Amino acid sequence: MKVLVATEKPFAKVAVDGIRKVVDQAGYELELLEKYTDRSQLLDAVADVDALIVRSDIVDEDVLSAAHKLKIVVRAGAGYDNIDLKAATAHGVVVENTPGQNSNAVAELVFGLAVMAVRNMYNGTSGTELKDKKLGIHAFGQVGRNVARIAKGFGMTVNALDPYCPDEVMTQAGVGSVHDVKDLYAGNDIVSLHIPATPETKGSVNYELITSLPKNGVLINTARKEVIDEAGLARALEDRPDIKYVADIKPDNASELTEKFAGRVFFTPKKMGAQTAEANINAGIAAANQVVAFLRDGVDRFRVN
Ligand code: 3PG
């Protein structure tokens, strides 16, 4: 059996070593395709593999039809919007993710971005502190829960909205439950986005929500750029000169925003949330173990299609 790790944005070496160990122990063969610059390299590499481990790499109909022997794709991470689930199902390919494995890394970056925003992007002027401020968490999944835990250490008041999470889970975490999305934005100094990119959520963080933020509000996006209505965001930043937007994902209108709203917007050049050795090890090795469990024993506990 051949397992391909195809990562345009590679894992730390220590994570690749861990993946190799798991694959070797199972008696399978590991192939690596890192930092590829052309899709044709991925299409060639998948031709004879039984399993594929990816990060945000696009796995669409083209990839699936080029992968004649493919049985399983594991997205080493949380969001699987980069994988065409329908096409995978049609090709008889199981798709899994590794929920929770990189969530602390993403949550820590939220605070890297939050401090940067409230300290005016470190421009030397007086900013504010996070202590005693209100934090609104938009979706209380694995990342959202880690964000809440860390926010407590900063002395913040934490509220969350998540129609899929029972209020008791939030109460137990010392987090207030909010049931109307507008209240989440209007009632918190900082809102941190943790919703997945789905047909329902795409473009849902719009002008109306962003301009509901209180004075000097900050919107943090370590989720997906697609959840933002980018034209609405530009309009909101124009109409509300007190608002800031900091993100781990470059929006499509990044150059317009950077030019017009210098000092109030920040984007990482490449998605950095899960780029820690720990997250790479956790997600990469979990993915390798899931591949082996599936190929050897048919276990598909983390299947998403
Ligand atoms: C995820 O969905 O797990 C995160 O966005 C991390 O994505 P990455 O593996 O491409 O860094």
Side-chain angles (χ1 to χ4, degrees):
M1 295 271 187
K2 206 183 230 188
V3 181
L4 172 69
V5 174
T7 46
E8 183 270 318
K9 185 177 62 184
F11 290 122
K13 185 185 174 298
V14 61
V16 176
D17 292 345
I19 294 170
R20 188 179 299 283
K21 206 168 156 195
V22 172
V23 173
D24 282 354
Q25 270 170 4
Y28 301 159
E29 193 186 328
L30 181 74
E31 201 174 295
L32 271 184
L33 175 68
E34 293 181 323
K35 287 192 197 170
Y36 57 92
T37 47
D38 197 292
R39 286 218 358 119
S40 63
Q41 294 170 268
L42 178 61
L43 296 180
D44 288 347
V46 295
D48 63 342
V49 302
D50 299 279
L52 174 61
I53 294 174
V54 292
R55 296 185 64 176
S56 291
D57 308 78
I58 305 291
V59 181
D60 56 10
E61 174 60 37
D62 290 349
V63 174
L64 290 157
S65 48
H68 310 288
K69 292 170 69 186
L70 191 65
K71 296 158 188 67
I72 181 167
V73 179
V74 181
R75 192 284 191 242
Y80 44 86
D81 46 310
N82 52 317
I83 299 173
D84 185 337
L85 296 187
K86 259 198 193 148
T89 305
H91 283 272
V93 172
V94 166
V95 180
E96 298 188 1
N97 66 345
T98 64
Q101 300 291 349
N102 58 19
S103 48
N104 180 67
V106 180
E108 287 191 13
L109 186 68
V110 168
F111 291 90
L113 293 169
V115 172
M116 185 180 187
V118 298
R119 297 296 182 103
N120 301 329
M121 313 297 180
Y122 308 127
N123 70 358
T125 63
S126 273
T128 58
E129 299 178 18
L130 295 180
K131 185 165 180 282
D132 297 329
K133 301 298 182 301
K134 289 187 189 150
L135 174 69
I137 300 180
H138 194 165
F140 205 60
Q142 306 264 11
V143 181
R145 290 171 206 202
N146 276 287
V147 169
R149 171 180 55 77
I150 300 168
K152 297 269 161 189
F154 276 97
M156 303 184 85
T157 301
V158 187
N159 299 299
L161 173 133
D162 192 331
Y164 302 100
C165 174
D167 284 1
E168 302 82 73
V169 174
M170 296 181 193
T171 311
Q172 265 176 17
V175 170
S177 341
V178 178
H179 300 105
D180 182 332
V181 68
K182 235 188 136 185
D183 292 342
L184 186 81
Y185 285 70
N188 290 285
D189 305 293
I190 297 178
V191 170
S192 187
L193 293 176
H194 301 292
I195 45 178
T198 65
E200 294 75 43
T201 63
K202 282 186 183 168
S204 66
V205 180
N206 55 20
Y207 174 85
E208 197 195 357
L209 283 184
I210 300 167
T211 52
S212 307
L213 284 166
K215 188 154 174 52
N216 299 325
V218 175
L219 180 61
I220 303 176
N221 187 3
T222 55
R224 292 287 184 271
K225 70 178 165 68
E226 289 82 2
V227 303
I228 302 274
D229 167 4
E230 293 184 350
L233 169 66
R235 217 152 45 87
L237 288 165
E238 186 92 58
D239 293 355
R240 286 283 305 277
D242 57 304
I243 285 178
K244 294 196 185 90
Y245 177 69
V246 285
D248 185 28
I249 322 93
K250 225 184 199 149
D252 291 336
N253 60 351
S255 46
E256 178 202 343
L257 297 186
T258 314
E259 202 174 293
K260 281 194 184 159
F261 310 112
R264 294 169 51 212
V265 292
F266 172 80
F267 322 113
T268 51
K270 212 165 203 172
K271 190 155 55 133
M272 290 295 297
Q275 272 305 52
T276 65
E278 294 89 338
N280 289 175
I281 291 167
N282 292 344
I285 294 178
N289 280 322
Q290 287 172 219
V291 161
V292 172
F294 179 74
L295 292 178
R296 201 177 49 198
D297 305 317
V299 176
D300 63 355
R301 184 170 159 220
F302 296 101
R303 186 172 186 161
V304 294
N305 69 332

